[in-house]
mmCIF file of all heavy atoms in Angstrom:
data_model
loop_
_atom_site.group_PDB
_atom_site.id
_atom_site.type_symbol
_atom_site.label_atom_id
_atom_site.label_comp_id
_atom_site.label_asym_id
_atom_site.label_seq_id
_atom_site.Cartn_x
_atom_site.Cartn_y
_atom_site.Cartn_z
ATOM 1 N N ALA B 26 266.458 -28.204 109.590
ATOM 2 C CA ALA B 26 266.542 -29.603 110.023
ATOM 3 C C ALA B 26 267.978 -30.128 109.970
ATOM 4 O O ALA B 26 268.385 -30.915 110.817
ATOM 5 C CB ALA B 26 265.635 -30.473 109.167
ATOM 6 N N LYS B 50 267.708 -37.202 111.682
ATOM 7 C CA LYS B 50 268.071 -38.530 111.163
ATOM 8 C C LYS B 50 267.244 -38.883 109.915
ATOM 9 O O LYS B 50 267.786 -39.211 108.867
ATOM 10 C CB LYS B 50 267.819 -39.625 112.225
ATOM 11 C CG LYS B 50 268.558 -39.456 113.525
ATOM 12 C CD LYS B 50 268.358 -40.652 114.430
ATOM 13 C CE LYS B 50 266.916 -40.882 114.865
ATOM 14 N NZ LYS B 50 266.382 -39.885 115.775
ATOM 15 N N LEU B 57 268.890 -38.498 101.087
ATOM 16 C CA LEU B 57 269.759 -39.459 100.395
ATOM 17 C C LEU B 57 268.967 -40.405 99.492
ATOM 18 O O LEU B 57 269.506 -40.937 98.519
ATOM 19 C CB LEU B 57 270.563 -40.283 101.406
ATOM 20 C CG LEU B 57 271.601 -39.500 102.229
ATOM 21 C CD1 LEU B 57 272.281 -40.415 103.248
ATOM 22 C CD2 LEU B 57 272.651 -38.861 101.329
ATOM 23 N N ASN B 94 255.339 -49.388 104.672
ATOM 24 C CA ASN B 94 254.757 -48.836 103.438
ATOM 25 C C ASN B 94 254.600 -49.929 102.371
ATOM 26 O O ASN B 94 254.985 -49.758 101.221
ATOM 27 C CB ASN B 94 255.575 -47.650 102.909
ATOM 28 C CG ASN B 94 256.943 -48.045 102.414
ATOM 29 O OD1 ASN B 94 257.396 -49.144 102.700
ATOM 30 N ND2 ASN B 94 257.592 -47.182 101.671
ATOM 31 N N ASP B 96 251.901 -52.515 100.311
ATOM 32 C CA ASP B 96 250.499 -52.564 99.899
ATOM 33 C C ASP B 96 249.824 -53.667 100.698
ATOM 34 O O ASP B 96 250.016 -54.846 100.414
ATOM 35 C CB ASP B 96 250.403 -52.851 98.399
ATOM 36 C CG ASP B 96 250.205 -51.582 97.607
ATOM 37 O OD1 ASP B 96 249.343 -50.787 98.009
ATOM 38 O OD2 ASP B 96 250.905 -51.394 96.609
ATOM 39 N N ILE B 107 256.090 -55.964 92.094
ATOM 40 C CA ILE B 107 255.977 -54.567 91.650
ATOM 41 C C ILE B 107 257.283 -53.824 91.905
ATOM 42 O O ILE B 107 257.745 -53.052 91.062
ATOM 43 C CB ILE B 107 254.771 -53.883 92.331
ATOM 44 C CG1 ILE B 107 253.483 -54.428 91.717
ATOM 45 C CG2 ILE B 107 254.827 -52.361 92.166
ATOM 46 C CD1 ILE B 107 252.223 -54.051 92.413
ATOM 47 N N SER B 115 263.867 -58.007 84.861
ATOM 48 C CA SER B 115 263.127 -58.892 83.957
ATOM 49 C C SER B 115 262.308 -59.887 84.775
ATOM 50 O O SER B 115 262.567 -60.071 85.977
ATOM 51 C CB SER B 115 264.099 -59.663 83.065
ATOM 52 O OG SER B 115 264.819 -60.586 83.863
ATOM 53 N N LEU B 166 268.189 -48.161 106.487
ATOM 54 C CA LEU B 166 267.214 -48.698 107.441
ATOM 55 C C LEU B 166 266.836 -47.584 108.418
ATOM 56 O O LEU B 166 267.658 -47.159 109.226
ATOM 57 C CB LEU B 166 267.820 -49.868 108.217
ATOM 58 C CG LEU B 166 268.273 -51.078 107.405
ATOM 59 C CD1 LEU B 166 269.113 -52.018 108.269
ATOM 60 C CD2 LEU B 166 267.069 -51.819 106.856
ATOM 61 N N PHE B 251 283.176 -44.627 136.028
ATOM 62 C CA PHE B 251 284.446 -44.938 136.699
ATOM 63 C C PHE B 251 285.325 -45.794 135.799
ATOM 64 O O PHE B 251 284.825 -46.623 135.043
ATOM 65 C CB PHE B 251 284.170 -45.701 138.007
ATOM 66 C CG PHE B 251 283.251 -44.958 138.935
ATOM 67 C CD1 PHE B 251 281.860 -45.122 138.842
ATOM 68 C CD2 PHE B 251 283.755 -44.075 139.872
ATOM 69 C CE1 PHE B 251 281.012 -44.420 139.683
ATOM 70 C CE2 PHE B 251 282.897 -43.372 140.720
ATOM 71 C CZ PHE B 251 281.523 -43.544 140.621
ATOM 72 N N LEU B 257 284.984 -46.950 141.867
ATOM 73 C CA LEU B 257 283.550 -46.992 142.119
ATOM 74 C C LEU B 257 283.275 -47.316 143.581
ATOM 75 O O LEU B 257 282.479 -46.651 144.254
ATOM 76 C CB LEU B 257 282.913 -48.039 141.193
ATOM 77 C CG LEU B 257 281.389 -48.091 141.162
ATOM 78 C CD1 LEU B 257 280.908 -48.568 139.795
ATOM 79 C CD2 LEU B 257 280.822 -48.998 142.228
ATOM 80 N N PHE B 260 283.921 -44.501 145.776
ATOM 81 C CA PHE B 260 282.855 -43.488 145.697
ATOM 82 C C PHE B 260 281.676 -43.851 146.596
ATOM 83 O O PHE B 260 281.131 -43.032 147.322
ATOM 84 C CB PHE B 260 282.380 -43.356 144.245
ATOM 85 C CG PHE B 260 281.236 -42.381 144.077
ATOM 86 C CD1 PHE B 260 281.470 -41.015 144.022
ATOM 87 C CD2 PHE B 260 279.934 -42.841 144.002
ATOM 88 C CE1 PHE B 260 280.422 -40.120 143.880
ATOM 89 C CE2 PHE B 260 278.876 -41.955 143.859
ATOM 90 C CZ PHE B 260 279.120 -40.593 143.796
ATOM 91 N N GLY B 305 275.417 -37.952 132.888
ATOM 92 C CA GLY B 305 274.107 -38.200 132.276
ATOM 93 C C GLY B 305 273.173 -38.909 133.228
ATOM 94 O O GLY B 305 273.576 -39.430 134.252
ATOM 95 N N ALA B 306 271.917 -38.917 132.877
ATOM 96 C CA ALA B 306 270.929 -39.617 133.688
ATOM 97 C C ALA B 306 269.990 -40.385 132.791
ATOM 98 O O ALA B 306 269.535 -39.882 131.797
ATOM 99 C CB ALA B 306 270.152 -38.614 134.507
ATOM 100 N N PRO B 309 267.815 -47.549 134.355
ATOM 101 C CA PRO B 309 268.672 -48.719 134.392
ATOM 102 C C PRO B 309 268.369 -49.621 133.199
ATOM 103 O O PRO B 309 267.237 -49.707 132.770
ATOM 104 C CB PRO B 309 268.290 -49.422 135.693
ATOM 105 C CG PRO B 309 267.401 -48.489 136.432
ATOM 106 C CD PRO B 309 266.893 -47.503 135.476
ATOM 107 N N HIS B 310 269.335 -50.271 132.688
ATOM 108 C CA HIS B 310 269.110 -51.132 131.532
ATOM 109 C C HIS B 310 269.967 -52.373 131.612
ATOM 110 O O HIS B 310 270.966 -52.418 132.298
ATOM 111 C CB HIS B 310 269.331 -50.385 130.216
ATOM 112 C CG HIS B 310 270.434 -49.384 130.267
ATOM 113 N ND1 HIS B 310 271.355 -49.233 129.313
ATOM 114 C CD2 HIS B 310 270.750 -48.461 131.208
ATOM 115 C CE1 HIS B 310 272.204 -48.268 129.634
ATOM 116 N NE2 HIS B 310 271.842 -47.787 130.783
ATOM 117 N N ASP B 323 269.339 -46.288 150.131
ATOM 118 C CA ASP B 323 269.217 -45.003 150.802
ATOM 119 C C ASP B 323 267.961 -45.058 151.659
ATOM 120 O O ASP B 323 266.854 -44.870 151.196
ATOM 121 C CB ASP B 323 269.128 -43.895 149.742
ATOM 122 C CG ASP B 323 269.007 -42.524 150.391
ATOM 123 O OD1 ASP B 323 268.764 -42.475 151.607
ATOM 124 O OD2 ASP B 323 269.149 -41.539 149.666
#
Side-chain angles (χ1 to χ4, degrees):
Chain B
K50 302 186 297 291
L57 294 177
N94 67 346
D96 262 313
I107 287 170
S115 69
L166 299 168
F251 304 89
L257 189 150
F260 177 80
H310 36 136
D323 180 348

